């Protein structure tokens, strides 16, 4: 199932981060910090670095900033994926540059356990990283 390079081509931590990215269901997201917390290792910056260097072969658009802003320079590509997967979005404020929406983190965030689909009630309960 894994499409990223073989284990010997990646640092072990990078392999683990990419494995988590592949687990995130369509229509859901985890923050960089969520992934680090789920792994029990590293932090948001380390996860972000792994995604920047090796994330192209996994659903990179599902590992996001905690504020719901789309990845600078990749907004339109990410937005295409979010719309295709019905990921909950919040419309951009009129003052927002380019009027690019943000992720609706309350509804889109995945806790790494249950998958009730986007916007499912109760997915912000115990174990949620809000």
């Amino acid at each position: 199932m894994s499409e990223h390079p073989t284990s010997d081509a990646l640092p072990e931590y990078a392999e683990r981060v990419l494995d988590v990215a592949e687990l995130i269901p369509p229509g859901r997201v985890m923050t960089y910090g969520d992934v680090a917390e789920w792994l029990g290792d590293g932090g948001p910056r380390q996860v972000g670095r792994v995604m920047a260097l090796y994330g192209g072969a996994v659903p990179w658009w599902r590992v996001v900033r905690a504020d719901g802003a789309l990845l600078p320079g990749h907004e339109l590509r990410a937005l295409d994926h979010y719309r295709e997967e019905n990921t909950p979005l919040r419309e951009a404020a009129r003052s927002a540059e380019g009027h690019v929406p943000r992720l609706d983190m309350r509804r889109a965030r995945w806790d790494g356990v249950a998958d009730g689909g986007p916007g499912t009630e109760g997915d912000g309960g115990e174990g949620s990283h809000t």
Side-chain angles (χ1 to χ4, degrees):
M1 176 176 176
S2 180
E3 294 180 20
H4 42 84
T6 59
S7 298
D8 54 37
L10 285 175
E12 187 266 343
Y13 184 74
E15 183 75 28
R16 291 173 56 215
V17 167
L18 297 178
D19 286 345
V20 173
E22 289 182 326
L23 292 174
I24 303 169
R28 305 303 295 271
V29 298
M30 287 180 93
T31 68
Y32 299 114
D34 291 342
V35 172
E37 185 176 331
W38 196 87
L39 291 171
D41 193 11
R45 290 179 187 265
Q46 290 86 350
V47 172
R49 181 81 175 142
V50 167
M51 294 304 294
L53 293 174
Y54 309 110
V58 299
W60 54 268
W61 59 92
R62 296 182 193 151
V63 181
V64 301
R65 293 172 33 165
D67 65 2
L70 306 191
L71 185 63
H74 301 280
E75 298 94 340
L76 297 180
R77 284 181 52 216
L79 196 53
D80 286 343
H81 289 292
Y82 297 138
R83 287 184 172 143
E84 181 180 313
E85 296 181 355
N86 295 315
T87 307
L89 298 170
R90 292 176 43 216
E91 288 306 313
R94 291 182 192 262
S95 61
E97 187 175 328
H99 301 289
V100 177
R102 288 181 179 253
L103 291 157
D104 183 339
M105 294 302 291
R106 185 184 60 79
R107 295 175 49 224
R109 204 169 197 174
W110 186 57
D111 63 8
V113 181
D115 179 32
T120 301
E121 293 302 318
D123 61 0
E126 285 186 46
S128 177
H129 306 287
T130 54

